[in-house]
Amino acid sequence: MRILEIALLVFVTILPFVKRQSIKKIPKRYLITSICVLMVLHLSVEGWRWQMIPAYLLVLILGWCLYKEYSFFNGGWIRKTIRGIALVLLLLFSWVLPYILPVFNFPRPTGKYNIGSQYIHLKSTQDEIMTSDLGDKRELMIKAWYPAILDNEKTEPYLNEGDRVSFAIKHGLPITIFNYLDLVKTHTYIKPSVAMGKFPVLIFSHGSYSQASGYYALIEEIVSHGYIVLNINHTYESTGTLFPDGEIKLFNSEYDRKQNNQEMAEMAWNALQNYNKATTPEEQFKTVHNLILNYYGAELTERYSNDISLVIDELKKWNTSTFLAHHLDITKIGVFGHSQGGAAAGQALLDDDRLKAGINVDGMQWGKMIDTIMTKPFALISSEWDDSHPNLNIQAYHNGSSSDFYNAKILNSGHSSFMDIPLMINLPFINEAGTISPNKAYEVTTKTVLQFFDLYLLDKHSDLLELGNKYPELELTEKK
């Protein structure tokens, strides 16, 4: 919570319990003036937000009581009890709502570059298979984050309209519920010029049915160290994609239901039951081989990988005729992603020779990786999964690699520790971010990502395994 919010809440929490005789010793105009000044300062400096509405209501009630010189707990015991319960409930909501849904701060980027962003609308000639309309072609929105030169540009608001509206629709919430995010300050500026020089390119792929650009904490830090990150919004796969004409294309739940159907559920159930009964690694592999190869996640992984290749197809053109012209080093292209996007990063390394290295951030590697040997530098960064969660990636990557392959685990983290969710929702049992500090999880993750790509795209000397000694939260090994 913000400083003036806390001050306001402390005031309205203490005041009702101060004895009437004590209050009478202070002229009421001083108390009323104090609470009015505090309220005005909060509204003008920090700005109002709906989470503070219970606190604002308490301010009005207590202000009226002060003006009328009326004791909040005046009357018989029944009246006092009712008012006491009402007060406790109001105070509970006054503290809990702004705490759970705070106006949060992103970690300050530590690199030497400022950060800018612009959107690119990619129109392909490939048929769109996720709609029933004949003639539909696959279209993507790409958010380009890049090292920038500033000239009085403003920072962009956190999450665009497509991300906000679609996230609200996903959870059945009022569309205006995320307006308070306008109060969140990012470190990304709106359409500044690209900094001088050429920069290596990292393509980022988000998780399925998630906010495509809900990864500011990670991406801002990476870009500040001299990378251009092309953040794909996989149309119909994210919560929503905002196009230049204002249309928002939402997650295609109908297509998802048809493909991720009862047959898929039974396949997963039977395979996992047999997996849990298996007594040797060889038996475990046999029980899940077909599942990893043919489960619906494998189709998603292929489709995401295809989108990544569509972006790479455009890089030469973008390097001559867009705001990124002459700033893309297309000889140094890496890929990383989270969850389903992480699986896509691994798949894309197999599918596209133009990619040099990649990182899967906490994604289950569905698809043909299980029958393949990785031949490029690769890292798997995982959260600390619960023991009841079967680690099928052991089977998916069982063939290993002919190149460098790293296995990293961030202790006490959860699946959303790599997203902005832990900052947005300040309750670990809801945000699925484990018990690790969100900022510590971001720090460890970005250090690992940066040192990996510095080594394999920029040929900078780096001993990745030393990070495990630097951060007790990180278990990092190299798989031979």
Side-chain angles (χ1 to χ4, degrees), residues 208-241:
S208 178
Y209 205 8
S210 67
Q211 298 153 287
S213 58
Y215 298 86
Y216 275 71
L218 294 186
I219 294 178
E220 286 186 336
E221 171 67 5
I222 292 167
V223 173
S224 78
H225 285 269
Y227 285 89
I228 290 175
V229 175
L230 301 177
N231 184 179
I232 301 176
N233 189 326
H234 298 281
T235 313
Y236 302 119
E237 314 271 19
S238 66
T239 52
T241 309

Side-chain angles (χ1 to χ4, degrees), residues 113-114 146-150 192-199 228 325-327:
Y113 291 101
N114 292 305
Y146 53 87
I149 299 173
L150 302 183
S193 299
V194 185
M196 296 293 291
K198 284 191 172 184
F199 301 96
I228 290 175
H326 312 300
H327 294 292

Side-chain angles (χ1 to χ4, degrees), residues 48-68:
W48 84 279
R49 58 185 180 120
W50 65 263
Q51 294 94 326
M52 290 290 291
I53 288 176
Y56 302 153
L57 181 58
L58 268 176
V59 168
L60 291 175
I61 293 172
L62 296 176
W64 181 84
C65 289
L66 286 171
Y67 178 72
K68 291 291 188 177

Side-chain angles (χ1 to χ4, degrees), residues 321-337:
S321 60
T322 68
F323 61 93
L324 295 172
H326 312 300
H327 294 292
L328 299 170
D329 189 342
I330 58 177
T331 66
K332 299 172 181 176
I333 309 173
V335 62
F336 71 121

